[in-house]
Every structure is written in C-alpha cells, then in structure tokens.
Amino acid sequence: MTQRELPYRATTQETCQWLDEQTGTPWSLVRLLESGLIPSVWLDYSPDYPELFAGGEAGFYAPVIFAGDTQRLIAGSDDVVISFTKDADKIALALKPPGICRPLYTLRFFRWDVEKLLKQLNKPVIVEADATPVQDDAPKESQLGISKEQVISAFAALVKIDLDKALTAATGLFGDEGARVKSSTKKAKSKIVWNPVTLALGLNDAYKVPMPYLKRAFNSHAFLREWRDNWEATLDLLGE
C-alpha cells in the first residue's frame, strides 16, 4: 500500500498496514492509541442524545477523546464506549451514562492525523552544538504560567470533569494550589496562572490522562511552546 492509497477515513487494519509498510515495524490498535492518534466513530442521529447533533439531525464522526474510553481500548475491549466526546460543533460534551457503545470495527482514523504521526516519527533528531547560555534576568509574565482560558483550550478535552469549575475551586485542581503559580494567587482571580508542566503531571496522576495525549498538547499549542523544554526534561527525569 502506498501513501496515496491510505483512505481518508481508514480502518484500524488499514492504518496499521500502512504504517507497517511506511516504518518497517509492526503496528496495532494499542500502538496507534499510545502514539496519540485519536480515533473517531460515525454516529447516526439519535433522539436519545439530541445535544450531540447541535440542533441538526445529520450524523457525524465523534472522536474518542476521553482517557477512560481510550484506556478501555488499550486494555483489549472488544467494543467502543464513548462517554465523553465533541459534538457536531466540536464542543466537548459529557454523555449521560452508560454513553454510546459501538463495535470495535467501526473505529476510523483520519488520514491527515496518520500522516502527521508518520512525519513526527521520521523527524530527524537535531543535536545542537554547545553554546554559552545568555543570562536574562528580566522576568517574563508568560513564563510564570498560562491563563485559565489556555488551560481549558489545551487540556479540557482530555478529562471528563468540568475543568473550568475545578480550576477555580477553593482547593484547586489537586488540592493545595492545584498547579496554580503561588505568586499569581495574590492578584485578582483573572490574573491567576497555572504551571502547565505541573498541571499535566497532575492530570496524568489524578485523572489517568495518558502521557501521549499530554505530549501532543505541548506540541499542538503555540502558547505551550516555551514550556516544551521544561516538559521534556521532566519526562526524561521520570523515564517517560
């Protein structure tokens, strides 16, 4: 199978076969998910979940984005359960229990996501020459942390809780400061910022968000770019 033969919405088997041939290594659904690929499932209109269809009656591909739903698949589930997804307008939405169940064979992977993964796998490792670091004593506000809006943009889709509410709770997201930068808590609530590295580690520990999803968040959002080195250094220390 050549690159142009990968279907626009590929099955798990088609995706694995294509990556097998492109990389020379075996792929499986587990490896796809652990690499950060997000599968989708076609949903026909259902009156049981009208909120999913944003006021319309047309079906759409719903992404499997909740860590708990993904972990079921990694653990070897023979079906797909969607308990948290994005609606037809791409707004995150929790479904009433028990969620929507679909056969495993209905999973689809979008071609551009798979091709993007391949580019990342083929990206050469650049070893930079040693250089004397330039000391910059001027503090930068953006280096203190990221705003609540940025936290929600980067991480809300990865957890099933109301992240907006949890961020502003008196006990913080994980108790204590909940990844809030302490110095910012002395300012107005609108000025409070969060350390995204501490926050991401807490989401992994407390809410079982998979590391590949968190890694992709740091690679996908421009406002997290300056935190990437800190994040990757932390992962190295943790052996991730």
Side-chain angles (χ1 to χ4, degrees):
M1 182 182 292
T2 63
Q3 183 167 337
R4 70 181 59 185
E5 292 175 333
L6 181 67
Y8 178 66
R9 298 185 183 92
T11 65
T12 300
Q13 181 179 359
E14 290 168 336
T15 304
C16 289
Q17 181 183 351
W18 187 80
L19 285 172
D20 285 350
E21 297 182 0
Q22 297 295 324
T23 65
T25 58
W27 284 79
S28 64
L29 175 59
V30 171
R31 187 178 178 188
L32 295 177
L33 298 175
E34 290 182 339
S35 296
L37 282 180
I38 295 178
S40 296
V41 174
W42 175 262
L43 298 181
D44 288 315
Y45 175 78
S46 170
D48 295 331
Y49 297 94
E51 67 277 11
L52 261 178
F53 300 88
E57 296 187 0
F60 72 102
Y61 276 95
V64 183
I65 56 175
F66 178 49
D69 298 339
T70 303
Q71 287 301 314
R72 286 186 74 258
L73 296 173
I74 291 175
S77 174
D78 56 3
D79 60 9
V80 183
V81 172
I82 303 176
S83 59
F84 185 89
T85 187
K86 291 185 179 181
D87 66 15
D89 284 340
K90 301 188 183 303
I91 298 174
L93 180 69
L95 304 181
K96 58 188 177 183
I100 296 176
C101 183
R102 290 292 183 269
L104 190 61
Y105 68 81
T106 60
L107 284 177
R108 294 293 183 273
F109 292 88
F110 286 96
R111 181 172 61 207
W112 63 74
D113 287 336
V114 182
E115 291 176 343
K116 183 178 179 180
L117 172 61
L118 181 64
K119 288 180 180 179
Q120 292 173 345
L121 295 172
N122 290 336
K123 187 176 180 180
V125 178
I126 300 175
V127 180
E128 297 182 356
D130 291 338
T132 302
V134 177
Q135 185 68 32
D136 183 2
D137 295 326
K140 297 180 180 178
E141 182 68 22
S142 62
Q143 290 179 335
L144 294 177
I146 61 176
S147 68
K148 183 174 74 170
E149 291 73 20
Q150 290 172 327
V151 172
I152 292 172
S153 174
F155 302 112
L158 305 182
V159 292
K160 200 174 180 180
I161 63 171
D162 184 337
L163 190 57
D164 188 350
K165 183 178 179 180
L167 289 171
T168 54
T171 57
L173 191 56
F174 316 114
D176 300 322
E177 293 300 333
R180 289 179 292 203
V181 176
K182 190 172 182 179
S183 60
S184 73
T185 61
K186 300 176 183 178
K187 304 177 182 179
K189 286 187 177 181
S190 61
K191 298 295 185 181
I192 294 176
V193 294
W194 285 258
N195 183 305
V197 175
T198 304
L199 183 68
L201 294 175
L203 292 176
N204 172 257
D205 181 60
Y207 298 100
K208 309 306 178 186
V209 177
M211 279 297 184
Y213 283 41
L214 296 167
K215 291 176 182 178
R216 186 169 60 183
F218 278 87
N219 290 324
S220 302
H221 298 277
F223 56 81
L224 290 178
R225 187 172 300 137
E226 65 185 278
W227 296 90
R228 216 172 287 164
D229 289 345
N230 190 341
W231 168 248
E232 292 176 354
T234 302
L235 293 184
D236 286 343
L237 289 174
L238 295 174
E240 293 287 348

